[in-house]
Amino acid sequence: MVLNKDTARKTAELLLQINAIKLEPENPFTWASGWKSPIYCDNRIMLSYPEIRNFVREEMAKQVEALYGKPDVIAGVATGAIGIGILVAEALGLPFIYVRPEPKSHGRQNQIEGRLEAGQTVVVIEDLISTGKSSLNAVKALRDQGANVKGMVAIFTYGFSIAGTNFEAENVSLNTLSDYDHLIEQASDTNYIKESHQKTLLEWKTNPQQWKQ
């Protein structure tokens, strides 16, 4: 869910501006899953641009407070959301932890790095939502350690229906600064993409697993 249309459009504009998001319907990317995709998103690039990362930090911090008040802890999902998670925690003056995809194979074998006490309220920060499985894996790890996960705030989501189903099944609320629909709207209105490409880009979202150029 996007809370603010203007924020969604501005976020999309900034991510396109620095090529954190690339749209290439004529030369699709191949994801690790094997899916062909006209979009590639790497929000970590945003960390190299102080003005843009500050915008994202402030908007995410505002959404965390608006939706959940001040939790006890901010948690970032490793590795993509560690950087922005730290920035959001700093903006809110809160402790920060991060969650690995799985426990380390050595040392203390931690999956959660940082101090977390049972019963603490946590808001999870994520950079990108596709199917939501890796993000929800982090939520499960936090809950297994006794955390009260209030919800998740992410920079961007592709808006796949399967993600909505997965989050609903785990009873986790998700809000994002921007999403695929606002991205395509912004890209079209600013002539970032050709009018003829808009239909192709929207078709991809409806069935990305079976999409062919």
Side-chain angles (χ1 to χ4, degrees):
M1 177 181 174
V2 166
L3 286 184
N4 185 286
K5 180 180 177 66
D6 291 337
T7 299
R9 291 282 298 261
K10 182 64 176 178
T11 301
E13 177 189 357
L14 294 173
L15 295 176
L16 287 169
Q17 182 183 110
I18 61 174
N19 287 321
I21 292 180
K22 295 182 179 181
L23 296 171
E24 297 189 10
E26 293 181 343
N27 298 290
F29 304 94
T30 301
W31 287 0
S33 62
W35 291 8
K36 295 291 184 181
S37 169
I39 179 174
Y40 188 81
C41 182
D42 182 1
N43 291 327
R44 289 168 294 191
I45 293 173
M46 170 267 304
L47 297 171
S48 297
Y49 296 83
E51 289 186 7
I52 294 174
R53 77 173 183 234
N54 287 341
F55 170 82
V56 171
R57 177 195 67 191
E58 294 303 320
E59 291 300 323
M60 293 191 88
K62 283 193 292 187
Q63 289 204 12
V64 168
E65 285 200 294
L67 292 163
Y68 308 111
K70 273 200 175 183
D72 296 317
V73 180
I74 294 293
V77 181
T79 59
I82 292 177
I84 187 60
I86 291 171
L87 291 171
V88 172
E90 182 68 17
L92 293 171
L94 295 174
F96 175 76
I97 61 177
Y98 70 86
V99 189
R100 299 175 182 274
E102 56 188 25
K104 288 195 299 186
S105 59
H106 59 281
R108 292 184 297 164
Q109 299 182 330
N110 291 343
Q111 184 170 5
I112 298 171
E113 298 289 359
R115 183 176 179 82
L116 175 67
E117 298 179 4
Q120 285 188 308
T121 57
V122 178
V123 172
V124 181
I125 300 298
E126 184 62 288
D127 68 326
L128 175 66
I129 305 293
S130 53
T131 65
K133 287 186 178 180
S134 60
S135 306
L136 291 168
N137 180 58
V139 172
K140 181 180 184 302
L142 290 163
R143 286 174 168 171
D144 286 347
Q145 292 299 311
N148 175 10
V149 178
K150 305 294 287 184
M152 185 178 298
V153 178
I155 299 173
F156 186 82
T157 178
Y158 295 117
F160 298 149
S161 59
I162 185 63
T165 299
N166 288 338
F167 273 86
E168 185 176 349
E170 297 300 328
N171 193 29
V172 179
S173 67
L174 171 68
N175 287 80
T176 63
L177 294 192
S178 191
D179 61 16
Y180 190 76
D181 290 342
H182 286 90
L183 170 74
I184 300 306
E185 187 178 303
Q186 176 68 20
S188 177
D189 288 352
T190 56
N191 296 316
Y192 183 91
I193 56 173
K194 300 176 184 177
E195 186 175 345
S196 59
H197 288 162
Q198 187 172 2
K199 181 180 178 182
T200 300
L201 289 162
L202 292 174
E203 285 175 348
W204 170 78
K205 180 192 163 185
T206 63
N207 192 7
Q209 193 170 3
Q210 303 296 324
W211 182 79
K212 294 181 181 179
Q213 183 192 13

